[in-house]
Amino acid sequence: MPAFEYEALDARGKKARGLITADSALAARRALRGRAMAPLSIREAEARRGVASGEGAGASLMDRLRQQDLSARERMLVTRQMASLLGAGMPVAECLGLLAEQGGRHHMRRVLMAVRARVSEGERLSDAMQAFPRSFPAVYRAMVAAGEVAGGLDQVLARLADYLEKEEAVANRITGALIYPLVLSTVAAGVVTLLMTFVVPRIAEQFTGMGMSLPALTRFMIAASGFLSAGWPLILAGLLALVAGGVLALRQPAARLRLDAAVARLPGLGSFLRQVESARFARTMGILIESGAILPDALRAATRATRNLAFRDRLKTVLVEVESGRSLTDALRARTWFPALMLFMVAAGERSGALGEMFRRAADQMDQETDGAITVGLNLLEPGIILVLGGVVVVIVLSILLPILQLNTLALG
C-alpha cells in the first residue's frame, strides 16, 4: 500500500503535516476527512526516490531542501528497533509502519513509510532501501541482503546495530575529548594574536624611538607583527583559497587516492589509520560471512565500507585474486597493510571453516588496541597543545624582555 505525505487543517483550523497509507490519493483524502481533517495537499512519499538517486532535476528548490536523509544515529536506532521487532515475529512491513508512527523527525517518517510502501508491493527490504542510498549506504544494504538470503535478518540487524552503536560511541568519545583542546587552542590563538597585533607594536614604538640596536629576535617579532597587522586580509584570503582548493582537489578521485595513500604511509599516524580500516574491514566481513554471504560478495561489500581510497584500491586487488583462485590469506598478506594478528586469524578461519567468527574475533582485538591508542593520543594532545602554545608565548615575551635587559645593562655600564 503506497504512502502519502499530506498537509491538512485539523478541527481547530491549524495546519498539520504527516504521512498516511492508502490505496490511492483519493482514498487518502477520504481517510483524512474521516479524522475530521480538511486536506490541503497530498503527494506520494515515493516521489523522494528520484531526488535520492540523483534524478528529478526539475524538482523545486523547496522540495530539494525538504529531502533530508537519515542521520547516523537515526539509522542506528532504526536498525536496533527493527532487529527487536523482527525477532519478536513481526513482518517487515509492519515493523517499518510501526517505527514510522512512533515519531521522530518528519523526514525520518517519510523515508520509513516510502520503504514500507515498496516492501508492501513485494520488494525485498534491501531493494526497497536502494531508493535511499544516503540513508542506507551500499554496505548496509549488502548486509541486509545477506540476512534476507540466509533467513536470519533479525540477527544480522542486531549485529549491524551493535557495530553502528560502537562506531557512534567512539565518535562521541573523540568529539567530547577534543572539545577542551579546541577551546584551549582557540583562546591561546586569540591571546597570541592580541600580543602580536597590539602589545608588540606599542613596545616596538618605544624602542625604535630610542634609536637603540635591537636584538635579532625582537626585530623578527616586530617584522612579523607588522606583517600580521598590515597583511591580515591577504592572509585570510590565502587561507580561504587554500581551503577551497583543497576541498575541490579532494573531490577528484585521483587526488584523494594520492592523499589517502600518503597519509597511510606516515609514521605513527599511518599505522593507526591502517589499524582502524583493518578493524572496520574485519568487522564487516565477520557480519556478512556469518550472515551467509559468499566470500566474493562479502569482499565487494567490505570494499565499499572502507573510507580510505588507497585501502579500497588494495581490497579490490584482493577481490580479483580471490576470484581467480588465490586464498584470502595469501591475497591479504601480499598487500602488506593488514596487521599480522588479522592475517593469522584469517588463516585459522580458512583452515577450520569458521572464517566469519575469526574475522569477528580479529575485529574485537583490533578495536581494543585502537581504543587504547585513542586514549593515549587524547591524553597526550592536551599537554602537547599547552607546550606548543606556551613556547610561542615565551618567545614573544622574551622578544620584549631582551631590549629591556639590554637597556638595564647599558644604564649600569
Side-chain angles (χ1 to χ4, degrees):
M1 186 177 294
F4 295 89
E5 296 182 57
Y6 69 83
E7 188 172 347
L9 296 177
D10 60 16
R12 293 175 295 180
K14 293 184 178 181
K15 276 189 178 183
R17 294 172 56 191
L19 289 162
I20 188 171
T21 55
D23 293 327
S24 63
L26 180 60
R29 290 181 181 274
R30 290 174 179 170
L32 288 173
R33 292 191 183 100
R35 300 180 185 179
M37 302 179 72
L40 299 176
S41 65
I42 290 181
R43 65 175 182 175
E44 195 171 354
E46 189 73 1
R48 186 182 184 276
R49 179 182 178 187
V51 176
S53 58
E55 302 170 359
S60 66
L61 176 61
M62 186 56 65
D63 288 340
R64 290 179 179 276
L65 292 176
R66 288 176 179 174
Q67 311 310 336
Q68 301 181 39
D69 303 293
L70 297 184
S71 65
R73 178 166 180 77
E74 288 171 336
R75 181 164 53 249
M76 181 268 294
L77 292 174
V78 167
T79 305
R80 174 63 68 190
Q81 291 169 347
M82 280 197 65
S84 300
L85 294 174
L86 290 174
M90 183 177 291
V92 175
E94 292 185 18
C95 290
L96 292 168
L98 180 60
L99 294 178
E101 293 172 2
Q102 281 182 348
R105 292 191 289 178
H106 180 67
H107 73 274
M108 179 177 175
R109 296 196 300 272
R110 175 171 50 233
V111 170
L112 293 177
M113 290 299 287
V115 173
R116 176 185 180 273
R118 297 171 70 92
V119 171
S120 299
E121 293 172 358
E123 292 189 22
R124 295 196 312 173
L125 178 60
S126 56
D127 294 333
M129 289 177 171
Q130 194 170 358
F132 305 92
R134 292 179 179 267
S135 295
F136 305 103
V139 64
Y140 185 101
R141 301 195 305 270
M143 292 182 184
V144 172
E148 289 175 318
V149 172
L153 183 57
D154 57 333
Q155 299 175 5
V156 173
L157 290 175
R159 296 191 195 105
L160 188 53
D162 292 337
Y163 175 63
L164 295 175
E165 286 173 358
K166 182 173 182 60
E167 280 206 330
E168 185 186 22
V170 173
N172 290 339
R173 177 185 170 195
I174 294 175
T175 302
L178 287 177
I179 290 177
Y180 178 70
L182 287 175
V183 172
L184 178 63
S185 300
T186 302
V187 173
V191 171
V192 171
T193 302
L194 289 176
L195 288 174
M196 293 294 293
T197 56
F198 291 99
V199 177
V200 172
R202 301 296 182 274
I203 296 178
E205 292 176 359
Q206 302 297 324
F207 291 143
T208 54
M210 297 178 182
M212 61 181 296
S213 177
L214 298 176
L217 179 60
T218 305
R219 294 197 302 271
F220 172 78
M221 296 306 298
I222 292 174
S225 174
F227 177 74
L228 290 175
S229 299
W232 67 266
L234 293 176
I235 297 174
L236 180 60
L239 290 175
L240 292 177
L242 184 63
V243 171
V247 171
L248 293 176
L250 290 179
R251 290 183 178 178
Q252 305 298 322
R256 174 76 181 278
L257 177 61
R258 289 193 294 268
L259 178 62
D260 286 349
V263 171
R265 293 187 178 95
L266 290 176
L269 178 62
S271 61
F272 172 76
L273 293 177
R274 293 196 299 271
Q275 179 94 348
V276 170
E277 291 293 347
S278 296
R280 181 179 290 113
F281 166 73
R283 181 72 62 190
T284 306
M285 290 290 292
I287 294 175
L288 288 168
I289 294 176
E290 287 186 324
S291 303
I294 61 175
L295 183 57
D297 291 343
L299 280 171
R300 288 188 186 92
T303 298
R304 291 193 293 266
T306 184
R307 299 171 186 173
N308 187 292
L309 294 187
F311 201 88
R312 182 179 301 177
D313 194 54
R314 289 175 177 254
L315 288 178
K316 289 179 180 178
T317 306
V318 170
L319 173 60
V320 172
E321 293 182 357
V322 168
E323 289 182 326
S324 65
R326 193 175 187 182
S327 70
L328 178 59
T329 305
D330 292 339
L332 291 174
R333 184 177 290 112
R335 305 285 79 77
T336 70
W337 277 13
F338 298 94
L341 170 67
M342 191 186 81
L343 295 175
F344 174 79
M345 299 193 77
V346 169
E350 286 187 304
R351 289 193 301 268
S352 64
L355 186 58
E357 181 184 356
M358 290 297 103
F359 265 122
R360 178 167 48 83
R361 291 186 179 182
D364 291 338
Q365 183 63 37
M366 287 187 290
D367 283 340
Q368 292 180 5
E369 295 176 2
T370 300
D371 289 343
I374 291 174
T375 301
V376 173
L378 292 176
N379 288 338
L380 293 177
L381 181 61
E382 181 182 335
I385 292 175
I386 293 175
L387 287 175
V388 171
L389 296 177
V392 174
V393 174
V394 167
V395 170
I396 295 174
V397 173
L398 187 60
S399 68
I400 296 173
L401 291 178
L402 284 177
I404 297 175
L405 294 175
Q406 184 176 338
L407 285 175
N408 290 337
T409 302
L410 293 174
L412 291 175

